[in-house]
Amino acid sequence: MARTLITSAIPYINGIKHLGNLVGSQLPADLYARYLRARGDDVMFICATDEHGTPAELAAAKAGKPVAEYCAEMHEVQAELGRGFRLSFDHFGRSSSARNHQLTQHFAVRLWERGYIEERTERQMYSRADNRFLPDRYIEGTCPNCGYEKARGDQCENCTKQLDPTDLINPRSAISGSTDLELRETKHLYLLQSKLRDELDRWIDSKTDWPVLTTSIAKKWLHEGEGLKDRGITRDLGWGVPVQFPGAPWSGMEGKVFYVWFDAPIEYIACTAEWADFHGLEEHEWRRWWRLDEGAEDVRYVQFMGKDNVPFHTISFPATIIGSGEPWKLVDYIKSFNYLNYDGGQFSTSQGRGVFMDQALEILPADYWRWWLLSHAPENSDSEFTWENFQTSVNKDLADVLGNFVSRVTKFCRARFGEVVPAGGEWGDTERALVAEVERRVRQYEAHMDAIEIRKAAAELRAIWVAGNEYLQTAAPWAVFKTDPDRAAAIIRLALNLVRLHAILSEPFIPDGAGALFTALKTDAKAWPGDIAEALGALPPGHAFEVPDVLYRKITDEERAAWQERYAGKR
RNA sequence: GGGCCCGUAGCUCAAUUGGUCAGAGCAGAGCGCUCAUAACGCUUUGGUUGGGGGUUCGAGUCCCUCCGGGCCUACCA
């Protein structure tokens, strides 16, 4: 049995993600996971919340809660939204877990022992009022270049000049506004990625099947300027994985934690361990997914992420793994996405512009969003969400082409033969032609899904739905019934079986709708179709079913206009 | 300022290594059907593939340039 490890980029803890975030990682990863499971593969689908770092601390402070409590709450919020969108994670973990603490410290020690980590002393701004070191971007002041008064310590947003916090005139803490700042010496650990450059370069070169978007970003980091830069992997923060711990090969690192981008990808591994813990399984059960020496040699590992995350997955995380010298599984394929824009601009959390995951589910069930987002996934370039497009796609594809097909078939059958698969009649040329077309399209659909060509897969799936309507139109059972009821029975029997096939094929995209169809058809026969002619005979004459409720309702012009107005932003 | 990606019918997107009049869905037009969520089917109208130049027997597909988006990254005189 093929084994596939799938990870979605882990969403940051400080707030609810918008639809662009969703379609950039979690949703397509879920589609792929569901598809492979349906094909009978052994799948491990992992996601988690990314909880460390200064933004989390600040968000907690703003909410007036201890950061641990804040993160626990937000984790549950995001987990619930994931369930709402039917994201079928095998485990949705937390980067703050004990497992991640252990593994992150483990990797750090290994890297140190092998000479890939070194201590460096540097000077950093410290705020006495806030009682903490401040990251560059949390220092504000007047730009020495253009005079802009709200320049950040890393860059002036007004003139785009790169800055050091010490360049700023009248520097102050962006957190408290305090000007009681001073430079203090502090010691940090650096990951010596530059030592691994050639190895990473060869590794990237071997990935000839990766999208240009992915490899070009990786190459850029490897070869830009003087080449791959070493990265500081520790920060002066209270919330995170402690750098100083029993058994640590360094000293004097109290009060420091690992940088969020060091521990976050390690959470992919730790989360799998969390999965095993949750289910009371042995260590081997999760290690067989990750350790090449413990059973993972036949695992294919696929990552999903937005393009902004590519550097960390092509450079930083692989450097951590390779540098460890231990046989951990490296990623085999990276599926990266461009951005989804919102109605002519970008999604904006601060301006309340665009639709966020919680709002989306308040408006419509998950399937509507899943279908639109996946069938318009920004695979080749940035794409755009507009309410008009959303309305027409959902109404046309889900309500008309698929939903109405189910409706006309089941209701016709009920009216003429009762709620049971009718007996009698045989297939003719029309049926054989339909089977041939569906056979061809299903194989094409599989090919697109195997290649994770999401929009193409969606288009092919839709074409299969359309084939059902074409067949009905040609076979015209309502006309045939008047003179040859047996013949009409054969047509409807095939059509009902086609509904079952639709349910199986569509489940990765629209799991709720697929579930409703299986329920209506009163069947548990959900196996992926091999021979199509055979699959279209799975529901035998005499099999009872019931006419389902309207599968997908339509979005009205009034609703569309109201939503357009409500989420336009500028609160 | 560099590096990379993109700009294809009104809209959203396709077009194997450059090669049979540039395709699909939606929208528009016409016809058909009546089982169905006023749904479905068939036919059909739209593009000098951002502008200009070049290479080639032949370019949306390669090169140069300009315009317009996006991403990454940096201030070398």
Side-chain angles (χ1 to χ4, degrees), chain A residues 174-389:
Chain A
I175 297 170
S176 62
S178 169
T179 56
D180 188 11
L181 308 175
E182 66 178 16
L183 269 179
R184 284 192 184 178
E185 284 209 335
T186 181
K187 203 164 56 174
H188 283 294
L189 299 183
Y190 271 73
L191 178 62
L192 306 183
Q193 296 178 327
S194 54
K195 284 188 173 183
L196 292 162
R197 193 189 79 161
D198 291 345
E199 199 160 347
L200 288 168
D201 207 17
R202 282 195 298 277
W203 178 65
I204 293 293
D205 279 336
S206 74
K207 303 304 181 186
T208 53
D209 61 330
W210 286 12
V212 176
L213 180 67
T214 303
T215 50
S216 66
I217 292 174
K219 282 291 183 182
K220 168 79 173 175
W221 278 54
L222 285 168
H223 300 294
E224 173 79 4
E226 61 270 36
L228 188 57
K229 295 183 184 65
D230 297 331
R231 289 182 74 91
I233 57 168
T234 56
R235 290 293 184 274
D236 292 286
L237 291 176
W239 176 236
V241 178
V243 179
Q244 197 63 58
F245 52 92
W250 44 75
S251 61
M253 305 294 279
E254 288 80 8
K256 300 179 192 299
V257 298
F258 285 102
Y259 184 34
V260 60
W261 266 113
F262 183 70
D263 78 64
I266 294 172
E267 168 63 10
Y268 291 143
I269 304 174
C271 185
T272 314
E274 290 175 53
W275 161 83
D277 293 341
F278 182 83
H279 294 285
L281 300 172
E282 304 286 318
E283 284 290 285
H284 172 70
E285 291 301 320
W286 72 264
R287 293 177 74 89
R288 64 191 280 272
W289 287 98
W290 283 100
R291 289 290 293 226
L292 299 174
D293 56 339
E294 297 179 44
E297 61 284 314
D298 66 337
V299 170
R300 175 173 157 81
Y301 177 20
V302 181
Q303 295 175 341
F304 290 79
M305 69 198 69
K307 57 185 171 187
D308 54 327
N309 266 330
V310 168
F312 304 105
H313 290 80
T314 55
I315 305 295
S316 308
F317 188 39
T320 297
I321 287 180
I322 293 172
S324 78
E326 295 178 330
W328 297 96
K329 183 78 189 141
L330 280 168
V331 65
D332 292 302
Y333 188 76
I334 291 179
K335 178 71 180 182
S336 56
F337 292 85
N338 287 283
Y339 294 142
L340 178 69
N341 289 319
Y342 180 81
D343 208 7
Q346 301 213 331
F347 279 85
S348 170
T349 305
S350 58
Q351 292 179 41
R353 192 163 187 287
V355 185
F356 290 72
M357 285 174 72
D358 55 340
Q359 300 167 329
L361 290 179
E362 289 166 10
I363 293 177
L364 289 168
D367 276 8
Y368 294 76
W369 299 105
R370 290 178 61 104
W371 174 253
W372 189 89
L373 290 169
L374 289 170
S375 62
H376 294 77
E379 289 174 297
N380 295 331
S381 61
D382 291 355
S383 65
E384 181 158 320
F385 174 90
T386 65
W387 287 102
E388 290 84 354
N389 195 307

Side-chain angles (χ1 to χ4, degrees), chain A residues 538-570:
Chain A
L539 297 179
H543 180 91
F545 70 92
E546 59 187 29
V547 175
D549 293 334
V550 167
L551 201 57
Y552 296 103
R553 73 174 186 83
K554 296 204 185 194
I555 297 169
T556 66
D557 291 345
E558 291 69 33
E559 287 177 311
R560 188 209 70 214
W563 295 335
Q564 199 158 19
E565 169 67 23
R566 193 190 310 172
Y567 299 109
K570 296 171 301 199

Side-chain angles (χ1 to χ4, degrees), chain A residues 15-224:
Chain A
I16 291 165
K17 304 299 129 182
H18 57 62
L19 296 182
N21 298 131
L22 181 64
V23 75
S25 54
Q26 293 177 317
L27 195 50
D30 179 69
L31 176 80
Y32 192 53
R34 285 177 178 275
Y35 167 71
L36 291 182
R37 289 194 197 104
R39 295 301 305 271
D41 287 9
D42 194 6
V43 171
M44 177 61 67
F45 178 25
I46 289 297
C47 193
T49 39
D50 178 13
E51 304 190 1
H52 298 316
T54 305
E57 290 191 327
L58 297 182
K62 189 175 179 182
K65 293 173 179 172
V67 64
E69 184 181 325
Y70 171 82
C71 286
E73 289 179 10
M74 285 306 299
H75 171 80
E76 190 44 47
V77 168
Q78 294 207 21
E80 184 58 32
L81 287 170
R83 287 189 285 272
F85 275 95
R86 307 294 184 254
L87 303 177
S88 60
F89 306 128
D90 285 292
H91 193 70
F92 187 65
R94 304 180 60 185
S95 70
S96 61
S97 68
R99 281 289 194 172
N100 197 35
H101 278 233
Q102 295 158 7
L103 264 172
T104 297
Q105 290 169 344
H106 167 82
F107 273 106
V109 170
R110 286 289 304 183
L111 288 163
W112 173 275
E113 291 171 350
R114 293 170 53 81
Y116 290 116
I117 283 181
E118 70 176 22
E119 287 185 8
R120 292 184 187 176
T121 298
E122 53 195 37
R123 296 194 305 171
Q124 196 176 345
M125 296 299 275
Y126 184 87
S127 167
R128 272 190 286 264
D130 298 309
N131 195 33
R132 61 186 293 166
F133 282 96
L134 294 174
D136 292 354
R137 53 189 281 213
Y138 287 106
I139 313 280
E140 282 184 350
T142 302
C143 176
N145 188 49
C146 72
Y148 181 62
E149 293 181 358
K150 284 189 172 179
R152 300 195 317 194
D154 56 345
Q155 181 178 30
C156 173
E157 293 177 324
N158 188 49
C159 69
T160 74
K161 183 175 175 62
Q162 297 288 308
L163 301 170
D164 269 339
T166 50
D167 296 334
L168 292 172
I169 301 164
N170 300 323
R172 60 184 180 278
S173 164
I175 297 170
S176 62
S178 169
T179 56
D180 188 11
L181 308 175
E182 66 178 16
L183 269 179
R184 284 192 184 178
E185 284 209 335
T186 181
K187 203 164 56 174
H188 283 294
L189 299 183
Y190 271 73
L191 178 62
L192 306 183
Q193 296 178 327
S194 54
K195 284 188 173 183
L196 292 162
R197 193 189 79 161
D198 291 345
E199 199 160 347
L200 288 168
D201 207 17
R202 282 195 298 277
W203 178 65
I204 293 293
D205 279 336
S206 74
K207 303 304 181 186
T208 53
D209 61 330
W210 286 12
V212 176
L213 180 67
T214 303
T215 50
S216 66
I217 292 174
K219 282 291 183 182
K220 168 79 173 175
W221 278 54
L222 285 168
H223 300 294
E224 173 79 4

